Amino acid sequence: MRDRLEGLLTSAREEVRRAADAAQVETLRVRYLGRKGELAQVLGGMGKLSPEDRRSVGEVANRVKAELEALLAGAVRAVEEAALQAELAGPPLDVTLPGRQQPSGHRHLVSRTLEDVIRSFQRLGFDVFTGPEVELDALNFEALNIPADHPARDMQDTFYVDAPWSKAPADQVLLRTHTSPGQIRAMRSRPPPLRIVVPGKAYRVDSDATHTPMFHQIEGLLVDRGITFADLKGTLTAFVTSFFGADRKTRFRPSYFQFTEPSAEMDVSCGTCAGKGCRVCKFTGWLEILGCGMVHPNVLTAGGYDASQLTGFAWGMGVERIAMLRHGLDDIRSLFENDIRFLEQF
Ligand code: DAH
């Protein structure tokens, strides 16, 4: 048995010398020292020895085991060192090679447009105020001076929420059709003077190349003593030059909204043709970007403000529309199809 143990050592030394890499060394380790390896097999026969023989053979076995372990550990170190030397001797690493680019995402065009618009108004001193997307009829319509029989309340346009508590018409719950109820919520929660923008989602039963059931708006409201239409024009024109560029012009056309009097629509000169007329502006030289006006006294009163002391102006604009005008897109739905090839362009 002693001879077999010594023999193991001799053959292991020979084979380890021939091992060329870490995998081969590992194979040898399993073969000699593994649970069913050569050493274990020899030791399996120890039970049949007399007690004296067992002691002396045990001593040899322990020494052989320790030597085998040292031999294999040394072999691992040797192959690792050899691999390192081979790498160092090979062609040098070219640190001037361009790196591999990590693919990275970015914010959606609509989010970016929204943030850009907000930033332009923050520079003018406006705060951000937000309201809920699920809104009371009383705030979405009633408080904004939109009477019960107004066509905007039509089931055709508004997503009504079937809420168990909404029995009375004033308790009716809906998905807000515009960000304008934010005006009422802001006035009811803050004392005048007020200078806010209300960004967020709005919903309407509508779907075609220029409408989606969900879209984004940014509402604005400024209320103080002595505010006039000149303040409205100055503020919104300052926004246009900061957001679209100093070379863009604005024009105001009379319009009608229940919550403002007088009301207007603001156009921006077309950036594609510099106002000469092209396909983007439908050959008018102008792009309509928002509705605005002087806040109706009934709206100030609904907000809890004193309409005999205060005046203000408000506006509302569609974020997708502005993004589309800025990038010359002609179908709003392309913004929500999540085709990564389309979105990556922006
Ligand atoms: N709420 C209007 C809409 O969704 C937009 C609007 C027009 C908001 C005039 C205003 C405003 O605050 O003064 O079409």
Side-chain angles (χ1 to χ4, degrees):
M1 220 165 156
R2 276 188 208 100
D3 291 347
R4 284 180 64 196
L5 286 166
E6 296 292 353
L8 273 187
L9 210 45
T10 316
S11 68
R13 283 204 186 96
E14 181 57 31
E15 289 192 75
V16 162
R17 196 174 318 124
R18 286 202 299 264
D21 58 29
Q24 288 178 17
V25 173
E26 175 60 12
T27 310
L28 290 176
R29 192 191 63 75
V30 173
R31 205 164 99 216
Y32 284 97
L33 292 168
R35 238 173 356 106
K36 293 179 187 151
E38 306 248 0
L39 181 64
Q41 277 175 26
V42 176
L43 297 183
M46 283 202 23
K48 297 194 199 94
L49 298 177
S50 67
E52 303 87 72
D53 281 350
R54 206 178 298 157
R55 174 154 343 116
S56 64
V57 169
E59 272 167 21
V60 176
N62 279 339
R63 182 174 52 76
V64 166
K65 184 175 180 221
E67 283 194 38
L68 280 175
E69 280 169 354
L71 182 69
L72 286 155
V76 168
R77 257 178 274 122
V79 292
E80 280 173 358
E81 176 66 18
L84 180 63
Q85 291 305 331
E87 197 180 327
L88 288 174
L93 195 65
D94 183 356
V95 294
T96 67
L97 278 176
R100 271 187 213 105
Q101 201 144 38
Q102 292 294 325
S104 74
H106 60 74
R107 279 169 308 150
H108 192 277
L109 179 57
V110 171
S111 306
R112 279 217 332 251
T113 308
L114 198 72
E115 286 164 24
D116 288 352
V117 173
I118 289 173
R119 206 166 314 119
S120 289
F121 281 107
Q122 280 175 327
R123 271 191 228 117
L124 295 173
F126 285 79
D127 279 348
V128 173
F129 182 92
T130 52
E133 290 168 30
V134 180
E135 186 54 283
L136 290 167
D137 181 296
L139 300 190
N140 190 82
F141 293 128
E142 201 72 44
L144 289 165
N145 204 34
I146 304 176
D149 57 1
H150 193 275
R153 295 187 169 210
D154 203 311
M155 296 293 280
Q156 306 279 303
D157 301 330
T158 306
F159 287 107
Y160 284 93
V161 176
D162 207 357
W165 63 86
S166 58
K167 295 279 182 301
D171 290 340
Q172 180 74 62
V173 177
L174 42 76
L175 299 185
R176 67 179 175 196
T177 59
H178 50 182
T179 45
S180 305
Q183 293 189 31
I184 306 296
R185 288 182 177 272
M187 286 189 282
R188 288 186 182 176
S189 64
R190 296 183 185 189
L194 190 67
R195 196 158 41 167
I196 52 144
V197 287
V198 188
K201 291 182 167 68
Y203 302 82
R204 279 180 215 173
V205 184
D206 211 350
S207 188
D208 58 35
T210 52
H211 300 87
T212 44
M214 184 284 299
F215 56 101
H216 295 78
Q217 286 191 331
I218 294 190
E219 191 82 12
L221 174 66
L222 185 147
V223 183
D224 202 346
R225 288 172 187 274
I227 298 299
T228 69
F229 203 91
D231 297 307
L232 179 157
K233 287 181 79 172
T235 303
L236 294 180
T237 302
F239 158 70
V240 165
T241 51
S242 117
F243 184 83
F244 289 99
D247 55 330
R248 306 293 279 274
K249 293 182 180 57
T250 53
R251 117 182 144 172
F252 292 81
R253 284 177 292 105
S255 184
Y256 179 78
F257 299 103
Q258 296 76 29
F259 27 91
T260 45
E261 179 60 36
S263 302
E265 263 158 330
M266 184 177 80
D267 297 342
V268 176
S269 59
C270 181
T272 307
C273 61
K276 286 186 204 69
C278 67
R279 196 185 58 89
V280 176
C281 58
K282 301 202 178 74
F283 302 96
T284 63
W286 296 95
L287 305 166
E288 181 196 321
I289 66 156
L290 56 82
C292 57
M294 299 306 290
V295 182
H296 196 290
N298 291 353
V299 174
L300 291 173
T301 305
Y305 280 15
D306 183 351
S308 72
Q309 299 295 314
L310 300 163
T311 51
F313 64 84
W315 75 90
M317 63 181 127
V319 178
E320 284 81 1
R321 184 174 162 74
I322 288 182
M324 289 167 72
L325 292 175
R326 229 184 180 187
H327 295 279
L329 312 178
D330 49 20
D331 192 331
I332 190 175
R333 293 168 293 200
S334 57
L335 291 169
F336 300 111
E337 278 163 0
N338 288 334
D339 181 339
I340 204 82
R341 293 164 304 180
F342 171 79
L343 295 175
E344 269 176 349
Q345 300 174 80
F346 308 104

mmCIF file of all heavy atoms in Angstrom, residues 18 23 25-26 42 46 58 66 80 99 112-113 122 139 159 168 180 182 189 200 210 234 250 261 282 326:
data_model
loop_
_atom_site.group_PDB
_atom_site.id
_atom_site.type_symbol
_atom_site.label_atom_id
_atom_site.label_comp_id
_atom_site.label_asym_id
_atom_site.label_seq_id
_atom_site.Cartn_x
_atom_site.Cartn_y
_atom_site.Cartn_z
ATOM 1 N N ARG A 18 3.345 17.982 -17.351
ATOM 2 C CA ARG A 18 2.870 18.068 -18.734
ATOM 3 C C ARG A 18 1.602 18.936 -18.881
ATOM 4 O O ARG A 18 1.202 19.268 -19.984
ATOM 5 C CB ARG A 18 2.581 16.665 -19.276
ATOM 6 C CG ARG A 18 3.839 15.874 -19.594
ATOM 7 C CD ARG A 18 3.537 14.770 -20.604
ATOM 8 N NE ARG A 18 2.559 13.824 -20.098
ATOM 9 C CZ ARG A 18 2.855 12.674 -19.504
ATOM 10 N NH1 ARG A 18 4.123 12.336 -19.353
ATOM 11 N NH2 ARG A 18 1.923 11.875 -19.083
ATOM 12 N N ALA A 23 -7.335 24.284 -16.937
ATOM 13 C CA ALA A 23 -8.358 23.235 -17.033
ATOM 14 C C ALA A 23 -7.725 21.861 -16.828
ATOM 15 O O ALA A 23 -8.287 20.999 -16.125
ATOM 16 C CB ALA A 23 -9.047 23.320 -18.389
ATOM 17 N N VAL A 25 -4.978 21.184 -15.163
ATOM 18 C CA VAL A 25 -4.568 21.073 -13.763
ATOM 19 C C VAL A 25 -5.778 20.679 -12.919
ATOM 20 O O VAL A 25 -5.703 19.818 -12.035
ATOM 21 C CB VAL A 25 -3.952 22.394 -13.261
ATOM 22 C CG1 VAL A 25 -3.699 22.315 -11.752
ATOM 23 C CG2 VAL A 25 -2.653 22.686 -13.986
ATOM 24 N N GLU A 26 -6.927 21.279 -13.225
ATOM 25 C CA GLU A 26 -8.143 20.985 -12.465
ATOM 26 C C GLU A 26 -8.550 19.517 -12.652
ATOM 27 O O GLU A 26 -8.926 18.830 -11.715
ATOM 28 C CB GLU A 26 -9.264 21.941 -12.900
ATOM 29 C CG GLU A 26 -10.634 21.691 -12.299
ATOM 30 C CD GLU A 26 -10.679 21.792 -10.768
ATOM 31 O OE1 GLU A 26 -9.698 22.287 -10.165
ATOM 32 O OE2 GLU A 26 -11.686 21.349 -10.185
ATOM 33 N N VAL A 42 -7.129 4.333 -2.809
ATOM 34 C CA VAL A 42 -6.103 3.593 -2.078
ATOM 35 C C VAL A 42 -6.469 3.552 -0.590
ATOM 36 O O VAL A 42 -6.424 2.510 0.056
ATOM 37 C CB VAL A 42 -4.713 4.245 -2.279
ATOM 38 C CG1 VAL A 42 -3.669 3.513 -1.431
ATOM 39 C CG2 VAL A 42 -4.323 4.217 -3.743
ATOM 40 N N MET A 46 -7.722 0.765 3.614
ATOM 41 C CA MET A 46 -7.033 0.806 4.905
ATOM 42 C C MET A 46 -7.726 0.017 6.000
ATOM 43 O O MET A 46 -7.093 -0.461 6.931
ATOM 44 C CB MET A 46 -6.839 2.266 5.353
ATOM 45 C CG MET A 46 -5.717 2.884 4.584
ATOM 46 S SD MET A 46 -4.879 4.294 5.256
ATOM 47 C CE MET A 46 -5.042 4.370 6.939
ATOM 48 N N GLY A 58 -0.971 5.260 7.499
ATOM 49 C CA GLY A 58 -1.644 6.543 7.675
ATOM 50 C C GLY A 58 -0.666 7.693 7.597
ATOM 51 O O GLY A 58 -0.961 8.724 6.978
ATOM 52 N N ALA A 66 -0.591 15.697 1.518
ATOM 53 C CA ALA A 66 -0.104 17.072 1.631
ATOM 54 C C ALA A 66 0.759 17.428 0.423
ATOM 55 O O ALA A 66 0.656 18.533 -0.141
ATOM 56 C CB ALA A 66 0.696 17.256 2.916
ATOM 57 N N GLU A 80 -1.126 30.036 -14.290
ATOM 58 C CA GLU A 80 -1.615 31.416 -14.304
ATOM 59 C C GLU A 80 -0.495 32.379 -14.677
ATOM 60 O O GLU A 80 -0.671 33.295 -15.481
ATOM 61 C CB GLU A 80 -2.195 31.798 -12.928
ATOM 62 C CG GLU A 80 -3.613 31.268 -12.740
ATOM 63 C CD GLU A 80 -4.146 31.482 -11.320
ATOM 64 O OE1 GLU A 80 -3.393 32.004 -10.471
ATOM 65 O OE2 GLU A 80 -5.310 31.123 -11.101
ATOM 66 N N GLY A 99 -13.914 53.479 -27.813
ATOM 67 C CA GLY A 99 -14.644 52.608 -26.908
ATOM 68 C C GLY A 99 -15.919 52.113 -27.549
ATOM 69 O O GLY A 99 -16.373 52.660 -28.549
ATOM 70 N N ARG A 112 -39.907 66.307 -22.883
ATOM 71 C CA ARG A 112 -38.891 67.365 -23.049
ATOM 72 C C ARG A 112 -39.539 68.691 -23.403
ATOM 73 O O ARG A 112 -39.150 69.740 -22.894
ATOM 74 C CB ARG A 112 -37.886 66.960 -24.137
ATOM 75 C CG ARG A 112 -36.841 66.025 -23.599
ATOM 76 C CD ARG A 112 -35.468 66.283 -24.212
ATOM 77 N NE ARG A 112 -35.501 66.833 -25.540
ATOM 78 C CZ ARG A 112 -35.164 66.168 -26.629
ATOM 79 N NH1 ARG A 112 -34.779 64.921 -26.544
ATOM 80 N NH2 ARG A 112 -35.203 66.755 -27.791
ATOM 81 N N THR A 113 -40.522 68.638 -24.304
ATOM 82 C CA THR A 113 -41.211 69.874 -24.693
ATOM 83 C C THR A 113 -41.893 70.495 -23.475
ATOM 84 O O THR A 113 -41.786 71.702 -23.235
ATOM 85 C CB THR A 113 -42.241 69.566 -25.793
ATOM 86 O OG1 THR A 113 -41.582 68.854 -26.836
ATOM 87 C CG2 THR A 113 -42.849 70.835 -26.345
ATOM 88 N N GLN A 122 -40.811 79.524 -15.859
ATOM 89 C CA GLN A 122 -40.155 79.679 -14.554
ATOM 90 C C GLN A 122 -39.203 80.868 -14.583
ATOM 91 O O GLN A 122 -39.084 81.611 -13.619
ATOM 92 C CB GLN A 122 -39.410 78.391 -14.170
ATOM 93 C CG GLN A 122 -40.356 77.337 -13.612
ATOM 94 C CD GLN A 122 -39.656 76.019 -13.335
ATOM 95 O OE1 GLN A 122 -38.722 75.642 -14.037
ATOM 96 N NE2 GLN A 122 -40.115 75.315 -12.316
ATOM 97 N N LEU A 139 -65.476 71.653 -11.113
ATOM 98 C CA LEU A 139 -64.273 72.453 -11.352
ATOM 99 C C LEU A 139 -63.880 72.469 -12.825
ATOM 100 O O LEU A 139 -63.362 73.465 -13.330
ATOM 101 C CB LEU A 139 -63.095 71.927 -10.520
ATOM 102 C CG LEU A 139 -63.275 71.913 -9.006
ATOM 103 C CD1 LEU A 139 -61.950 71.593 -8.317
ATOM 104 C CD2 LEU A 139 -63.798 73.252 -8.523
ATOM 105 N N PHE A 159 -64.857 62.034 -21.092
ATOM 106 C CA PHE A 159 -64.857 60.720 -20.451
ATOM 107 C C PHE A 159 -65.415 60.904 -19.040
ATOM 108 O O PHE A 159 -64.765 61.504 -18.189
ATOM 109 C CB PHE A 159 -63.426 60.170 -20.318
ATOM 110 C CG PHE A 159 -62.807 59.699 -21.608
ATOM 111 C CD1 PHE A 159 -61.807 60.448 -22.228
ATOM 112 C CD2 PHE A 159 -63.185 58.487 -22.177
ATOM 113 C CE1 PHE A 159 -61.209 59.999 -23.406
ATOM 114 C CE2 PHE A 159 -62.582 58.038 -23.359
ATOM 115 C CZ PHE A 159 -61.601 58.797 -23.965
ATOM 116 N N ALA A 168 -75.554 63.713 -7.778
ATOM 117 C CA ALA A 168 -75.890 65.079 -8.189
ATOM 118 C C ALA A 168 -74.951 65.519 -9.308
ATOM 119 O O ALA A 168 -73.791 65.114 -9.323
ATOM 120 C CB ALA A 168 -75.754 66.017 -6.990
ATOM 121 N N SER A 180 -57.469 73.608 -17.302
ATOM 122 C CA SER A 180 -58.051 74.833 -16.729
ATOM 123 C C SER A 180 -58.597 74.688 -15.297
ATOM 124 O O SER A 180 -58.537 75.655 -14.539
ATOM 125 C CB SER A 180 -59.122 75.383 -17.670
ATOM 126 O OG SER A 180 -58.578 75.590 -18.962
ATOM 127 N N GLY A 182 -57.209 73.536 -12.956
ATOM 128 C CA GLY A 182 -56.051 73.879 -12.115
ATOM 129 C C GLY A 182 -56.088 75.346 -11.684
ATOM 130 O O GLY A 182 -55.613 75.701 -10.602
ATOM 131 N N SER A 189 -56.372 77.585 -3.177
ATOM 132 C CA SER A 189 -55.363 77.157 -2.197
ATOM 133 C C SER A 189 -54.276 78.204 -1.940
ATOM 134 O O SER A 189 -53.466 78.029 -1.049
ATOM 135 C CB SER A 189 -54.724 75.836 -2.637
ATOM 136 O OG SER A 189 -54.031 76.013 -3.854
ATOM 137 N N GLY A 200 -49.840 69.140 -17.455
ATOM 138 C CA GLY A 200 -50.405 67.826 -17.163
ATOM 139 C C GLY A 200 -51.182 67.218 -18.309
ATOM 140 O O GLY A 200 -51.280 67.782 -19.391
ATOM 141 N N THR A 210 -54.612 64.694 -35.606
ATOM 142 C CA THR A 210 -54.199 65.802 -34.736
ATOM 143 C C THR A 210 -54.776 65.708 -33.323
ATOM 144 O O THR A 210 -54.595 66.609 -32.522
ATOM 145 C CB THR A 210 -54.587 67.173 -35.354
ATOM 146 O OG1 THR A 210 -55.982 67.142 -35.692
ATOM 147 C CG2 THR A 210 -53.774 67.465 -36.595
ATOM 148 N N GLY A 234 -47.345 90.992 -23.407
ATOM 149 C CA GLY A 234 -45.915 91.064 -23.100
ATOM 150 C C GLY A 234 -45.375 89.734 -22.605
ATOM 151 O O GLY A 234 -44.322 89.260 -23.045
ATOM 152 N N THR A 250 -45.317 87.411 -32.914
ATOM 153 C CA THR A 250 -46.612 86.908 -32.437
ATOM 154 C C THR A 250 -47.733 87.787 -32.990
ATOM 155 O O THR A 250 -47.514 88.942 -33.353
ATOM 156 C CB THR A 250 -46.714 86.956 -30.899
ATOM 157 O OG1 THR A 250 -46.409 88.277 -30.457
ATOM 158 C CG2 THR A 250 -45.750 85.985 -30.255
ATOM 159 N N GLU A 261 -62.586 86.870 -20.856
ATOM 160 C CA GLU A 261 -63.287 87.936 -21.567
ATOM 161 C C GLU A 261 -62.474 89.224 -21.463
ATOM 162 O O GLU A 261 -62.280 89.710 -20.346
ATOM 163 C CB GLU A 261 -64.692 88.125 -20.990
ATOM 164 C CG GLU A 261 -65.484 89.229 -21.663
ATOM 165 C CD GLU A 261 -65.682 89.001 -23.160
ATOM 166 O OE1 GLU A 261 -65.844 87.837 -23.573
ATOM 167 O OE2 GLU A 261 -65.644 89.988 -23.905
ATOM 168 N N LYS A 282 -49.614 76.025 -43.663
ATOM 169 C CA LYS A 282 -50.713 76.019 -44.631
ATOM 170 C C LYS A 282 -50.758 77.332 -45.426
ATOM 171 O O LYS A 282 -51.818 77.897 -45.698
ATOM 172 C CB LYS A 282 -52.053 75.757 -43.935
ATOM 173 C CG LYS A 282 -52.063 74.426 -43.184
ATOM 174 C CD LYS A 282 -53.492 73.928 -42.965
ATOM 175 C CE LYS A 282 -53.524 72.598 -42.265
ATOM 176 N NZ LYS A 282 -53.191 72.694 -40.813
ATOM 177 N N ARG A 326 -42.620 72.281 -33.725
ATOM 178 C CA ARG A 326 -41.173 72.480 -33.603
ATOM 179 C C ARG A 326 -40.392 71.508 -34.476
ATOM 180 O O ARG A 326 -39.311 71.820 -34.945
ATOM 181 C CB ARG A 326 -40.782 72.227 -32.145
ATOM 182 C CG ARG A 326 -39.922 73.310 -31.548
ATOM 183 C CD ARG A 326 -39.542 72.857 -30.158
ATOM 184 N NE ARG A 326 -38.705 73.823 -29.494
ATOM 185 C CZ ARG A 326 -38.127 73.605 -28.329
ATOM 186 N NH1 ARG A 326 -38.306 72.457 -27.718
ATOM 187 N NH2 ARG A 326 -37.375 74.521 -27.779
#
